[in-house]
Amino acid sequence: MPSFEEFFSVEALEAHYGAFLQSHLDVIRNVHRVARGSDRVELAIFRRDLAKHLRAASRKVLQGRYTFAALLEREIPKDAGETRTISISTIRDAIVQRALYGYLYEFVEAQLEDCVFGYRRGRNAHGAVALIQQHFEGGRLAVFDADISQFFDSVNHQTLIDKVSSLGTDDRARNLVTRFLKTSRVTATAAQKVNVAGGKQRKYPRSRRNCGVPQGGVLSGLLSNLYLAEFDRRIQREFDGLVRYADDFVICVSDEEKCHQLRAVVESELKKLGLKLHLMKTVDHCPAAAGIDFLGFRISPIAVRIRHKNILRFKERINGVLSTQKVRRNSDLTLASLCNRLSFKIQGPGPKIMEKLIEHELADHPFRRSWIGFFRIVTDDNQVRQLDRWIASQISSFIWRSHRVKVTRTDMRSAGLPTLYATMWKARRPPRPFTDERVEGGIL
């Protein structure tokens, strides 16, 4: 394994800078969309003095003197009126965080159980769903469905620092994690000059972070997995039915009685970490036969379906396209325009954009960067067909209202409308080199 010095050499930071740019590439506009941090330095300005920034970052990290600039925080909406706080780092800090992530990853990975699927290379939501299905097939048909309340905001700093120390890493890595956790923050609404004593001005009023892990960068998921690693081991040792993705987890057991015993055990283990269960989102007993909602899926012993809430969100996106569709001179032009716009919502980026995504290693499959591409593992084909019929009915109603003309599904296919069902099956195929060709059944 490379040494700490190798991970934070100037050459290594240059590679991390390239990966940082890659992750922020907007291939449609061919620009890097990088949000400014609290220093308000834009990418073009940072790039102008790139060599100087990287040399300074490498030198300070290796000398143990590197400190992170204040994190600029913004609130983004979640479900049920809740919000999530996203922390935006300066560009130089983001590069250092990537290097720190690379150094810590194998140390943390060695601590994790196979039942953990979030924030791990080669693991994803589909693997978590498959493991739940295996538990159902093995007779574990009672499910404890849990969610940790305000997890990322509740992580105890000292507990996490102690866990990092126990990994046997270079002391400078532990110090970097400590400084990252305790980095001051400024909210986007407070990002303005304020008067201070003596008539001087300070650009950003700051506040201390006494607990919690900043979200929005590469480190938050890695550190959260480390924080919960001992919890995972203890639950697995006693019940052997845990499946966790970030702060959402389920525990599959053989009967309802065991399921009801779980709450006390889980609450006791979480209390040691200063965490609590989310009262509204935790259910002591979910019969597997009734299905459980997890990571956007509705999972039962007989089928994997799309969760109802995700269906509603998809319909909102389709209705959003319909509400902004312009009426053309005749029904054929309106239908062609509408189907062309809807194809992106159904099938994802078109061939030219996909070529760029694959060229920049941002995709490896032409149909998986779409809504239905993610849900390609659903086994209830009828649910997908019903959605196709709903889309067709919405288009038909729109054309009738606009032109008093009836259109059929054949007309829609001729106008270039792909179906969710066909796209789902294309997304199930193994990855292959993508060529610029017309997609069967329509134009992208």
Side-chain angles (χ1 to χ4, degrees), residues 258-317:
K258 283 187 178 179
C259 217
H260 286 299
Q261 294 171 0
L262 271 167
R263 178 177 283 269
V265 177
V266 170
E267 286 181 335
S268 175
E269 294 299 329
L270 290 179
K271 187 176 181 180
K272 297 174 184 178
L273 297 171
L275 303 173
K276 297 179 180 179
L277 288 173
H278 195 299
L279 297 179
M280 301 298 294
K281 296 182 180 179
T282 299
V283 182
D284 287 3
H285 174 237
C286 296
I292 62 169
D293 290 334
F294 195 62
L295 305 177
F297 295 90
R298 182 74 173 177
I299 311 163
S300 72
I302 61 173
V304 176
R305 310 181 81 244
I306 304 169
R307 186 178 64 161
H308 179 65
K309 186 181 292 186
N310 292 79
I311 293 285
L312 295 180
R313 287 176 182 168
F314 179 75
K315 289 183 175 182
E316 287 176 3
R317 292 169 61 188

Side-chain angles (χ1 to χ4, degrees), residues 198-243:
K200 296 181 180 180
Q201 290 184 328
R202 186 174 66 184
K203 200 167 186 179
Y204 301 110
R206 301 179 181 184
S207 60
R208 290 176 57 84
R209 186 189 301 277
N210 297 316
C211 64
V213 176
Q215 292 188 72
V218 295
L219 279 176
S220 58
L222 181 75
L223 294 176
S224 70
N225 275 341
L226 175 61
Y227 196 75
L228 291 171
E230 182 61 25
F231 167 82
D232 297 333
R233 281 193 293 273
R234 289 174 177 170
I235 295 298
Q236 273 291 83
R237 187 163 56 239
E238 188 166 351
F239 297 99
D240 192 32
L242 174 67
V243 181

Side-chain angles (χ1 to χ4, degrees), residues 76 85 123 337:
I76 61 173
T85 301
R123 291 172 175 263
S337 173

Side-chain angles (χ1 to χ4, degrees), residues 7 18 45 57 80 85 129 183 205 209 229 259 357 391 426 432 436:
F7 271 99
I45 297 174
T85 301
V129 172
T183 299
R209 186 189 301 277
C259 217
L357 288 169
I391 293 170
K426 291 172 184 175
R432 59 179 174 79
D436 185 3

Side-chain angles (χ1 to χ4, degrees), residues 124-278:
N124 54 31
H126 294 172
V129 172
L131 182 56
I132 292 173
Q133 289 181 293
Q134 289 179 26
H135 287 318
F136 288 169
E137 291 169 2
R140 297 188 180 96
L141 298 175
V143 181
F144 181 83
D145 188 358
D147 184 276
I148 301 174
S149 178
Q150 298 293 311
F151 169 71
F152 285 96
D153 295 328
S154 303
V155 169
N156 181 278
H157 285 177
Q158 192 55 55
T159 301
L160 180 54
I161 293 167
D162 290 343
K163 290 180 180 295
V164 174
S165 299
S166 70
L167 296 176
T169 63
D170 191 291
D171 287 345
R172 289 169 291 185
R174 181 199 61 205
N175 293 337
L176 275 178
V177 171
T178 301
R179 290 168 183 169
F180 171 71
L181 293 175
K182 296 185 179 298
T183 299
S184 59
R185 54 187 177 179
V186 57
T187 60
T189 54
Q192 54 192 350
K193 290 184 178 181
V194 295
N195 293 322
V196 295
K200 296 181 180 180
Q201 290 184 328
R202 186 174 66 184
K203 200 167 186 179
Y204 301 110
R206 301 179 181 184
S207 60
R208 290 176 57 84
R209 186 189 301 277
N210 297 316
C211 64
V213 176
Q215 292 188 72
V218 295
L219 279 176
S220 58
L222 181 75
L223 294 176
S224 70
N225 275 341
L226 175 61
Y227 196 75
L228 291 171
E230 182 61 25
F231 167 82
D232 297 333
R233 281 193 293 273
R234 289 174 177 170
I235 295 298
Q236 273 291 83
R237 187 163 56 239
E238 188 166 351
F239 297 99
D240 192 32
L242 174 67
V243 181
R244 182 172 68 80
Y245 193 101
D247 56 340
D248 294 333
F249 63 91
V250 297
I251 306 172
C252 303
V253 292
S254 57
D255 55 63
E256 183 176 350
E257 183 179 351
K258 283 187 178 179
C259 217
H260 286 299
Q261 294 171 0
L262 271 167
R263 178 177 283 269
V265 177
V266 170
E267 286 181 335
S268 175
E269 294 299 329
L270 290 179
K271 187 176 181 180
K272 297 174 184 178
L273 297 171
L275 303 173
K276 297 179 180 179
L277 288 173
H278 195 299

